[in-house]
């Protein structure tokens, strides 16, 4: 069975992430979408909230599981028996950062292979950060995030 992992902050999950998840789910028997618990990042949503959002937006995908982890991706992938790490690429900046991460992961965990999926052109300008920057001023985020999680974002900024 080919198991892949797609890790990220997903703070919040965007339509760009969801596109990568849907496409990767068709390439593997099982895809684990894993929220990285990063204590150094100031996040809008808790890890539990982000997992809940991912569960909501992936409920139509039978072979997708949602998890969270601390520490190194290579270690977590080894622990859950994932052989492939999926990453999304929007542009050359992503490529430079992702390629470095790939080289490091390869040193750390020989077993894991990385594959890059090119972002759809509709999602090239999307990031979690952009979505938060628009939402904080009450802008339209319909084209940025899945409809199901829009109310959770609006609620955060109303507080
Ligand atoms: P960040 O590093 O900004 O916290 P994430 O952790 O949310 O970003 O991103 C997880 C993965 O999803 C990375 O491989 C990233 O390149 C990819 N990604 C982010 N946004 C998009 C998008 N709009 N389209 C495709 N892939 C994306």
């Amino acid at each position: 069975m080919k198991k892949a992992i797609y890790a990220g902050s997903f703070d919040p999950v965007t339509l760009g992430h969801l596109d990568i998840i849907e496409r990767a789910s068709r390439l593997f028997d099982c895809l684990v979408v894993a929220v990285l618990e990063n204590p150094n990042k100031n996040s809008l949503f808790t890890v539990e909230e982000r997992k809940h959002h991912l569960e909501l937006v992936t409920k139509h995908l039978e072979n997708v599981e949602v998890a969270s982890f601390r520490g190194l991706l290579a270690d977590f992938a080894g622990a859950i028996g994932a052989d492939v790490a999926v990453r999304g690429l929007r542009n050359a900046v992503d490529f430079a950062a992702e390629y470095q991460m790939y080289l490091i992961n390869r040193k750390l965990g020989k077993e894991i292979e990385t594959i890059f999926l090119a972002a759809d052109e509709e999602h090239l300008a999307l990031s979690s950060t952009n979505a938060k920057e628009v939402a904080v001023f009450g802008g339209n985020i319909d084209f940025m995030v899945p409809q199901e999680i829009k109310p959770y974002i609006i609620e955060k900024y109303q507080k």
Side-chain angles (χ1 to χ4, degrees), residues 83-155:
D83 348 77
V84 175
V86 173
R87 306 294 295 165
L89 285 183
R90 282 161 294 189
N91 49 42
V93 176
D94 269 359
F95 177 77
E98 295 289 345
Y99 198 77
Q100 283 191 352
M101 214 145 63
Y102 155 75
L103 293 174
I104 291 166
N105 278 332
R106 235 172 49 148
K107 293 260 184 223
L108 292 172
K110 293 187 195 72
E111 309 300 321
I112 189 134
E113 187 55 274
T114 303
I115 69 156
F116 299 105
L117 293 183
D120 189 277
E121 63 178 342
E122 259 184 73
H123 306 132
L124 285 183
L126 291 190
S127 72
S128 301
T129 303
N130 290 349
K132 286 182 279 197
E133 279 169 358
V134 173
V136 74
F137 297 114
N140 181 11
I141 52 169
D142 285 357
F143 66 99
M144 297 179 130
V145 300
Q147 284 310 307
E148 300 94 310
I149 66 142
K150 199 179 148 190
Y152 297 104
I153 300 171
I154 292 170
E155 191 195 357

Side-chain angles (χ1 to χ4, degrees), residues 27-47:
L27 296 174
F28 298 96
D29 300 306
C30 175
L31 177 71
V32 178
V33 181
V35 178
L36 172 64
E37 296 183 29
N38 187 345
N40 300 326
K41 264 196 183 175
N42 224 342
S43 52
L44 177 65
F45 292 104
T46 65
V47 170

